[in-house]
Structure formats: structure tokens, C-alpha cells
Amino acid sequence: EHGTGNNSKSYRCTAPSTGSASFNLDQVQEENFQFSFVRSDKINSIVTDQTSETIKPFKEIRSVFSTSPYIFQIVTNKKSAIKDWKSLKGKKVHIGKEDSVERKIFELLMDANKINKRFFGVTLEDDSVFKADTFCKNKLDAVGLVSTVPNLEIEKAIAKCGASVLDLKDSNLDYIIKNNSYFSLIEISKDTYKNKEQIKSVSFVDNLITHSNVPEDTVYHLVKAVFENFSDFQKEHEAF
């Protein structure tokens, strides 16, 4: 209907901006929302009963489809001559604050490669957000971040000071995927960041979830509307 809603069988759909995955989960669990987007690691916590004060048991959760990958990317300084995972040895690397998503992935990589923080020369462990201007001015060799692709700040860093995104093909990614089902193996395509080859890494995905009480017809028609009008769907947000 392209938003006209004139057909008696049309669905009226609203998509409010929300603050967090935890909020989205709560709203679907309490049946205030019929659908919402939640990252795959959050869903994994519920499905595998890793509940906490902020994550409540939710056996009625259902996954509908996945969209945007949130890719782990290590941005490297041109002057540091970092070509692969092994050449991060002895470098000054921002690995993220403890319990942050970036830090957790660095810890998985360290475990997969049987190393610890001493592998890096210096580690920065704060919660600062990656900014091209800051990265190009300071003396960091590499920074890890999770985002959709392409990332505007990474593009700025590439243009401003010749930064690049590291290919993690030699970092035992298969081990991480095998032991953490909420991750996906992913490749950033050629030319995304002026890269001549594909860049391998791991990613979470955004899952559209629903409640088992939502009628099957409603789920069916939402999926049908999205995939029969996929080019329109992609225009709604650059992440798609």
C-alpha cells in the first residue's frame, strides 16, 4: 500500500526510535511492541539462559529475519606498518573498557590465539569513542570498534591520515565462530574502505524479533511487505 492504508486489509505500522536492546526486548516481552530489532548476542543470552538483573527469561521470543551486521573492525595507523594480526605484537592498541563489546571481542581473539594483553606493547582500556581527528593526532597504533559498515569516522581517518582496516583472516576467526554461535563470519567487500581485497572479520547481526503470541498472519505479511519491496526497505536507512 506504500503507506496509503486505503485497503481494509492494510496494516498500520509505526517504528519509534528506541534507546537500547534491553528496552526493545522488554517491550516485545511485555507485548507492547509486536516486533523490534535486537542484536544477536543479546538474543543469545536469553536463549541460553544467561539471565541477569537486566535480562529476564523470555522463552516466547521468536526470530523473524536478520539485517545489518555490526562488524568488529581494527583500524590501524599508517605509520605503524601493521599488516596482519601477528604484527599487532608490541603495538599500542586500544582494546576497550572491560565488559565493553570491543573488549569482549579482543578477549575472544586473544583466547583463540593463546595470548594475553602482554602480547601488545601497551593497551588502552577506556570507553572513548573512535574519532578520526583524535586517532590521526595521537600515537595509537590500532583501535578496535564495532559498527555498521561503512563507518563515517573510519572513512575520515583513511582520507585524513592514511589509516586502514585490518584483515583478520590469520586470527583464528573460525575458532571464535565455532564457540560463539551469535557471531557471524563476514567479509567487508573490496573498495569499501579503499581496500583492494576483502577484509575478513566477525560480526553480530540485528535480528528482528517477535513474541510467540503475535499472529502468524501478521508475521507473514510483515516479511512479505519487506522482501517484496526490498529496494524501498533499503532506502529507509543506510545500514540496510
Side-chain angles (χ1 to χ4, degrees):
E1 290 293 307
H2 291 280
T4 61
N6 293 329
N7 190 313
S8 62
K9 295 182 180 179
S10 293
Y11 288 85
R12 182 176 183 274
C13 185
T14 59
S17 178
T18 58
S20 69
S22 296
F23 176 83
N24 289 354
L25 280 168
D26 287 344
Q27 293 303 301
V28 175
Q29 187 170 10
E30 294 167 11
E31 300 185 67
N32 295 325
F33 290 174
Q34 289 178 304
F35 303 92
S36 71
F37 283 107
V38 181
R39 217 171 58 195
S40 53
D41 57 322
K42 298 289 185 183
I43 296 172
N44 179 74
S45 297
I46 293 168
V47 173
T48 56
D49 291 323
Q50 297 174 29
T51 52
S52 64
E53 289 182 6
T54 56
I55 299 175
K56 297 175 287 188
F58 186 7
K59 297 298 183 184
E60 301 81 15
I61 189 172
R62 299 291 183 269
S63 183
V64 183
F65 58 75
S66 301
T67 58
S68 319
Y70 285 82
I71 303 174
F72 178 66
Q73 299 155 86
I74 296 180
V75 186
T76 62
N77 193 316
K78 184 178 181 179
K79 296 178 181 178
S80 302
I82 297 170
K83 302 298 182 184
D84 52 27
W85 168 258
K86 292 179 181 178
S87 58
L88 287 169
K89 185 176 181 178
K91 303 296 184 181
K92 188 174 182 180
V93 183
H94 189 287
I95 64 172
K97 188 177 181 180
E98 193 169 351
D99 290 330
S100 68
V101 64
E102 288 83 5
R103 176 64 169 271
K104 288 176 181 176
I105 298 175
F106 264 112
E107 288 172 350
L108 289 172
L109 282 165
M110 287 187 278
D111 180 56
N113 291 278
K114 296 180 172 56
I115 59 172
N116 55 37
K117 287 193 296 183
R118 291 193 295 274
F119 173 79
F120 309 109
V122 178
T123 57
L124 273 72
E125 302 176 38
D126 59 34
D127 57 357
S128 58
V129 177
F130 179 82
K131 293 292 183 184
D133 290 342
T134 306
F135 180 75
C136 289
K137 287 178 183 176
N138 65 22
K139 298 179 181 179
L140 274 175
D141 294 310
V143 175
L145 71 149
V146 173
S147 74
T148 53
V149 169
N151 179 289
L152 182 59
E153 289 298 322
I154 293 178
E155 289 182 329
K156 285 181 181 177
I158 291 169
K160 188 170 184 177
C161 59
S164 60
V165 177
L166 190 63
D167 188 346
L168 295 175
K169 62 184 178 182
D170 66 333
S171 62
N172 289 328
L173 296 178
D174 288 341
Y175 178 88
I176 295 176
I177 300 296
K178 181 180 178 180
N179 292 283
N180 300 276
S181 61
Y182 51 91
F183 276 118
S184 299
L185 190 65
I186 198 160
E187 293 180 339
I188 300 173
S189 58
K190 289 191 290 185
D191 301 321
T192 303
Y193 291 125
K194 296 183 178 179
N195 47 303
K196 295 180 181 179
E197 302 294 334
Q198 292 178 324
I199 298 170
K200 288 189 175 182
S201 189
V202 292
S203 78
F204 305 106
V205 293
D206 246 359
N207 277 25
L208 185 71
I209 64 161
T210 189
H211 194 291
S212 60
N213 288 343
V214 174
E216 289 186 8
D217 275 358
T218 304
V219 179
Y220 171 78
H221 285 294
L222 181 136
V223 175
K224 185 173 186 287
V226 169
F227 286 95
E228 286 187 353
N229 302 279
F230 198 68
S231 60
D232 290 334
F233 175 73
Q234 287 182 297
K235 293 172 187 174
E236 292 296 320
H237 196 283
E238 61 180 7
F240 297 144

